[in-house]
Amino acid sequence: MDSPWDELTLAFSRTSMFPFFDIAHYLVSVMALKRQPGAVAVAWKNPLSSWFTAMLHCFGGGILSCVLLAEPPLRFLANNTNILLASSIWYITFFCPCDLVSQGYSFLPVQLLAAGMKEVTRTWKIVGGVTHANTYYKNGWIVMIAVGWARGAGGSIITNFEQLVKGSWKPEANEWLKMSYPAKVTLLGSVIFTFQHTKHLAVSRHNLMFLYTMFLVATKITMMITETATVPFALFEDALSRMLFGWQQQFTPCEKKSETKSSFNGTGSSTSKPIAVASDTVKKKHTKKT
C-alpha cells in the first residue's frame, strides 16, 4: 500500500495543465509582452504582428524544441484549442474596455497566483521535452537536456529572434550572453530529470516533479514579494566558477611576484657592473703610479 506522500505526489504528477494552468501561462506571457515599450501601439497599428509575437511568447519553447528535433516548427498551430485560448487571452489583454484585465492583474495576489501556476507548467514542459527527446535518441542525455531546456525556457530565446527581426534586439538582453533566472533554473531541472530518466538518479519521477515544482513556486513567489532579481543559487554559481575556472586568476598574482623579483635581480646585477668597472680602473691607476 502506498504512503500518503506517494499518493499526493502521484496525484500531483497526473494533474492536467488544461485549462487553468495554461491560462495562467498565457496570461503571464502576454502581460510580459504588453509591458514592453511600444507593444500597445503595435497592437493597435498592426494587430497581426502583435498576435504573432504573443504566440511566440506563449509557444516559443515548443517551437524551439521542434527545431532541435527537425520537426515542423509550426506544429503548435495544430492544437486549435490552445491557439484559440492563447488568442483570447491576447485579445482581452490588449483590447479589453477600460483595460480591466491589466487593472485586475496589477494586484499582487493575482500576480503571485498566476506566476506560481506558470512555474507548474514549466515542470511539465521540461519532463515532456526530456521524454520526447528520448524517443528519438535513446539515452542520449545531451540531446535530452537540450530539448528539455528548450521546451521549458525556449520562449525567451525565440523572442530574441523576434526582436532581431523587428530591429529592437539588444546584445545585453541575449539569453546566451546573460542567462536569466528562468533559463538557469530550467537548465538545472532539465539536467535533473534527464538523470532521473536515464536511471542515474534513484528518485521516482512523481516525487521529483513535486519537489522541483515546489522549489520553483517558492523561489518565484519569494523573488516577487521581496522584489529582488538575485538568483537564489548565485553563491553556489560563484563557488563552482572559482573551483572550475578560477585557477588562472589564482596563479596570476604568483606570476606577478616572480616577475617583480626577477626585475629586482636584473637591476641589482646592472648596478653591480659599473661598480666593478670603477674598481678596475682605480687599480690600473695605482699600478701606473707605482
Side-chain angles (χ1 to χ4, degrees):
M1 183 177 181
D2 295 335
S3 62
W5 169 262
D6 290 334
E7 293 179 358
L8 173 64
T9 56
L10 188 60
F12 177 79
S13 64
R14 294 174 178 175
T15 303
S16 177
M17 295 294 102
F18 183 85
F20 300 108
F21 290 93
D22 287 339
I23 290 176
H25 166 66
Y26 300 150
L27 179 61
V28 174
S29 301
V30 175
M31 288 302 303
L33 171 63
K34 187 176 181 180
R35 290 174 178 174
Q36 294 182 1
V40 177
V42 172
W44 283 95
K45 294 180 180 179
N46 194 346
L48 183 60
S49 175
S50 177
W51 173 84
F52 183 73
T53 304
M55 296 303 104
L56 289 180
H57 278 258
C58 295
F59 303 101
I63 297 173
L64 184 58
S65 63
C66 289
V67 172
L68 293 178
L69 294 175
E71 295 180 348
L74 298 180
R75 196 181 65 174
F76 75 98
L77 293 174
N79 194 335
N80 299 326
T81 304
N82 285 349
I83 292 294
L84 292 176
L85 184 60
S87 301
S88 301
I89 297 297
W90 164 79
Y91 183 81
I92 63 175
T93 300
F94 280 94
F95 303 102
C96 183
C98 302
D99 205 11
L100 295 177
V101 175
S102 298
Q103 293 181 10
Y105 188 80
S106 62
F107 292 101
L108 183 59
V110 177
Q111 296 181 21
L112 295 178
L113 178 62
M117 296 175 69
K118 176 181 170 61
E119 294 305 314
V120 176
T121 64
R122 189 185 304 277
T123 303
W124 263 249
K125 291 177 181 179
I126 295 173
V127 175
V130 170
T131 306
H132 186 59
N134 186 64
T135 59
Y136 284 87
Y137 302 93
K138 190 68 174 179
N139 294 330
W141 57 273
I142 295 181
V143 180
M144 296 164 66
I145 291 174
V147 176
W149 183 37
R151 185 167 294 188
S156 57
I157 301 175
I158 289 293
T159 52
N160 281 338
F161 173 76
E162 172 260 336
Q163 293 174 1
L164 179 63
V165 173
K166 294 194 303 184
S168 59
W169 177 77
K170 297 180 180 179
E172 59 271 14
N174 191 353
E175 284 289 339
W176 297 106
L177 301 179
K178 187 177 180 181
M179 292 177 60
S180 60
Y181 165 72
K184 292 180 180 180
V185 76
T186 305
L187 178 60
L188 175 63
S190 182
V191 172
I192 293 174
F193 283 105
T194 298
F195 286 168
Q196 188 278 330
H197 193 86
T198 56
K199 309 300 181 181
H200 291 90
L201 190 61
V203 182
S204 60
R205 176 177 295 182
H206 53 87
N207 287 332
L208 187 59
M209 290 177 65
F210 183 83
L211 294 175
Y212 178 73
T213 304
M214 292 301 105
F215 169 75
L216 290 181
V217 174
T219 304
K220 185 64 176 182
I221 291 178
T222 302
M223 293 175 64
M224 293 179 64
I225 293 177
T226 57
E227 297 181 354
T228 178
T230 305
V231 179
F233 37 84
L235 297 177
F236 174 75
E237 289 182 3
D238 295 337
L240 187 62
S241 176
R242 291 179 181 179
M243 290 174 58
L244 298 179
F245 311 109
W247 296 104
Q248 184 66 27
Q249 297 178 358
Q250 295 177 3
F251 290 142
T252 302
C254 299
E255 293 177 356
K256 290 183 179 180
K257 289 181 181 180
S258 61
E259 289 177 359
T260 54
K261 288 182 180 180
S262 62
S263 63
F264 284 140
N265 294 332
T267 54
S269 61
S270 61
T271 53
S272 61
K273 288 180 181 179
I275 293 174
V277 173
S279 62
D280 292 338
T281 54
V282 172
K283 290 180 178 179
K284 289 179 181 180
K285 290 180 179 179
H286 182 70
T287 53
K288 288 179 179 180
K289 290 181 181 180
T290 56

